[in-house]
Amino acid sequence: MASAFTASSSSASSVIPSSGFSCLGSHSEIKATQIGSLRLVGDRFNVAPSSLNLFGRRSSLKPLNAEPKTQDAVGPLAATIVAPEFEEKVEAENFEELAERLENASPLEIMEQALKKFGDDIAIAFSGAEDVALLEYARLTGRPFRVFSLDTGRLNPETYRFFDAVEKHYGIRIEYMFPDAVEVQALVRNKGLFSFYEDGHQECCRVRKVRPLRRALKGLRAWITGQRKDQSPGTRSEIPIVQVDPVFEGIDGGVGSLVKWNPVANVQGNDIWNFLRTMDVPVNTLHAEGYVSIGCEPCTRAVLPGQHEREGRWWWEDAKAKECGLHKGNIKENGNATASVNGKSAVADIFNSENLVSLTRKGIQNLLKLENRNEPWVVVLYAPWCPFCQAMEASYVELADKLAGTGVKVAKFRADGDQKEFAKQELQLGSFPTILVFPKNSARPIKYPSEKRDVDSLMSFVNLVR
């Protein structure tokens, strides 16, 4: 919806139009929204509170993708008529306190607060998955809202059709952001189409997602995401309802210039889906094929019943790295570990049992050298901060207890930190945890291929290959 500043006096009034970008809402009839008014009194303006910049800096209107021309810029900037500038000091809001007040609020109440507070300067980030719930909550507030999405050029066909269905259902136009064509061309020419399988997804995501997002957010003062705490135990378990964005900058630039809202942070995935079914809104058809968390086609796969939804994203990498960079602020050093002492993680160790052998680097190297072992070994390559290692601790300790006295040795080898490169090269480490069986009469260990880590599945595999 086009925004306007209105300047008025006792004798005349005039309207200064803003850019052509639209703030689109749930109403079929688009109406102009006055986000601020300037009343001329004598030689100075009286400024209505609704037009004040929350952060006490200069205020101006910009479209979502407006940003000073840089090397990252994509295409010409949209024309923007800047409203009269003014300086006004306002008390910055304490968003930590606001997050505490809203901790038990419903997503609808949180969405209402966000849209009311930021008006045309906030937009919903729509990914093509269950983020449609955010659009439905926004519609229910009755307020106009903006929606943007990142088109990486590598989305599934089903996702593009879903975008179209959502636009028609809500009567909106999604504001798409695209990667820089020159950067994409250079990446593909130099490293090929699928380099991320070999050296990690971060570089590709930086070109196709992070930089376009940065340009989008430079035209806003706040954004709304669909992050939930249950989506990733390693990186999203502590996300607040609202926060000053720790990574990206808003229209005013600098630390504290962008606010990030997570209205469904405390909502469980099942509750989101019950809500979507009840409201009868469009959903991505990939969900019916086992896709839960949906991203780019090469980096997304369906998950099996019982698997965590993030296991379908970048499945060839460590669990702690399963963020593309859009929510980089979620990732803490050493995953969800506590503090570090002398550069080493101080998180408590796991897989502690009298029936478990703790192997050193030299110990596992000796095990690798043996071609004819007296007994088979089962070894888990782990990192104590890894949530997936923590999740299988009970079943692995139970496995050790069951195999005690059977002639099968059960062991653990901590493979993070300085040992990680060795484990990758010599022990087939792909992600944590990795489970290896060293058969009695075989030189090469056999890697457990499944992500089912219950004791029965592990026991069955050990009995088949030992």
Side-chain angles (χ1 to χ4, degrees):
M1 176 173 291
S3 305
F5 272 76
T6 304
S8 61
S9 66
S10 58
S11 59
S13 65
S14 62
V15 176
I16 305 175
S18 75
S19 73
F21 268 71
S22 296
C23 172
L24 298 164
S26 57
H27 306 293
S28 58
E29 180 179 346
I30 301 177
K31 299 178 180 179
T33 301
Q34 179 178 312
I35 66 169
S37 62
L38 308 178
R39 188 170 300 278
L40 186 63
V41 180
D43 295 328
R44 54 184 296 188
F45 285 111
N46 275 348
V47 184
S50 61
S51 66
L52 292 179
N53 179 355
L54 185 64
F55 305 99
R57 296 187 176 91
R58 289 185 175 182
S59 175
S60 63
L61 296 180
K62 287 190 179 182
L64 181 61
N65 66 340
E67 183 183 6
K69 190 77 171 175
T70 67
Q71 290 182 338
D72 288 341
V74 217
L77 298 178
T80 304
I81 298 178
V82 180
E85 294 183 348
F86 52 87
E87 292 285 348
E88 184 73 21
K89 294 293 182 182
V90 293
E91 185 178 350
E93 179 152 9
N94 188 326
F95 285 98
E96 289 185 3
E97 291 183 359
L98 179 60
E100 291 180 5
R101 293 201 302 271
L102 295 174
E103 182 64 21
N104 296 316
S106 69
L108 182 61
E109 181 182 349
I110 298 166
M111 182 67 74
E112 165 73 21
Q113 288 269 353
L115 296 180
K116 178 181 179 181
K117 188 177 294 289
F118 288 96
D120 194 44
D121 289 332
I122 190 170
I124 299 170
F126 182 57
S127 70
E130 71 270 35
D131 287 341
V132 67
L134 297 177
L135 276 61
E136 186 64 13
Y137 284 122
R139 183 191 67 83
L140 291 172
T141 68
R143 295 181 178 275
F145 58 96
R146 298 172 67 182
V147 182
F148 76 95
S149 189
L150 308 177
D151 185 348
T152 65
R154 304 202 74 171
L155 304 178
N156 296 78
E158 292 87 347
T159 299
Y160 289 111
R161 287 194 284 270
F162 177 49
F163 285 150
D164 182 64
V166 164
E167 286 188 329
K168 291 175 179 176
H169 181 83
Y170 289 100
I172 64 173
R173 280 286 177 265
I174 297 172
E175 300 175 43
Y176 294 103
M177 300 299 296
F178 299 92
D180 184 282
V182 175
E183 287 188 343
V184 173
Q185 179 176 287
L187 175 64
V188 173
R189 282 185 174 178
N190 292 333
K191 307 188 73 172
L193 285 167
F194 300 100
S195 61
F196 38 81
Y197 290 140
E198 299 174 2
D199 57 14
H201 72 271
Q202 298 296 337
E203 182 178 18
C204 185
C205 284
R206 185 164 56 249
V207 170
R208 294 180 182 271
K209 300 176 74 173
V210 178
R211 288 177 180 166
L213 177 68
R214 183 178 292 117
R215 290 194 300 271
L217 297 179
K218 283 292 287 183
L220 297 171
R221 289 189 171 85
W223 63 309
I224 301 170
T225 86
Q227 290 189 103
R228 302 193 319 273
K229 291 178 180 177
D230 69 340
Q231 285 173 326
S232 179
T235 62
R236 299 190 178 184
S237 60
E238 299 178 10
I239 56 173
I241 295 297
V242 58
Q243 64 186 136
V244 174
D245 197 298
V247 177
F248 296 100
E249 298 181 3
I251 196 170
D252 291 316
V255 177
S257 60
L258 186 71
V259 178
K260 186 177 185 180
W261 292 77
N262 307 298
V264 294
N266 294 326
V267 181
Q268 296 293 311
N270 288 340
D271 292 330
I272 288 287
W273 278 101
N274 288 335
F275 174 69
L276 295 179
R277 282 190 289 267
T278 299
M279 303 308 292
D280 193 26
V281 301
V283 295
N284 196 321
T285 57
L286 287 172
H287 291 304
E289 300 176 24
Y291 290 76
V292 182
S293 179
I294 300 173
C296 293
E297 186 276 334
C299 303
T300 305
R301 67 178 182 180
V303 295
L304 297 172
Q307 280 187 287
H308 194 276
E309 64 183 79
R310 296 295 281 187
E311 291 186 59
R313 301 288 294 278
W314 308 295
W315 60 91
W316 64 92
E317 295 185 1
D318 294 350
K320 70 169 184 174
K322 294 199 175 184
E323 295 286 356
C324 58
L326 304 191
H327 305 295
K328 185 179 178 182
N330 297 340
I331 301 177
K332 299 180 179 179
E333 192 66 28
N334 292 327
N336 64 346
T338 55
S340 61
V341 180
N342 296 326
K344 294 184 178 181
S345 172
V347 68
D349 199 14
I350 57 176
F351 301 126
N352 297 311
S353 168
E354 61 182 11
N355 294 318
L356 265 165
V357 179
S358 182
L359 292 173
T360 61
R361 166 99 168 244
K362 185 175 181 180
I364 202 166
Q365 283 176 323
N366 289 335
L367 191 58
L368 280 169
K369 293 175 183 177
L370 293 175
E371 294 187 7
N372 293 299
R373 304 175 185 88
N374 294 327
E375 53 209 352
W377 285 71
V378 184
V379 182
V380 60
L381 312 180
Y382 75 103
W385 45 259
C386 169
F388 297 101
C389 296
Q390 295 166 7
M392 69 163 284
E393 180 179 19
S395 61
Y396 194 72
V397 169
E398 184 180 349
L399 176 74
D401 294 342
K402 283 189 173 185
L403 291 174
T406 66
V408 179
K409 293 288 188 181
V410 182
K412 64 178 183 177
F413 174 68
R414 181 165 178 175
D416 63 342
D418 296 339
Q419 308 300 333
K420 189 171 183 180
E421 284 306 312
F422 161 73
K424 282 184 173 181
Q425 294 176 16
E426 303 294 335
L427 299 173
Q428 308 173 54
L429 175 67
S431 61
F432 296 116
T434 291
I435 301 168
L436 302 176
V437 174
F438 293 78
K440 188 174 181 180
N441 297 308
S442 176
R444 183 172 176 79
I446 301 172
K447 184 177 179 178
Y448 180 61
S450 174
E451 291 178 342
K452 294 181 66 177
R453 294 162 187 146
D454 59 282
V455 66
D456 292 334
S457 299
L458 293 171
M459 180 70 83
S460 176
F461 181 73
V462 171
N463 287 333
L464 285 171
V465 303
R466 68 180 185 176

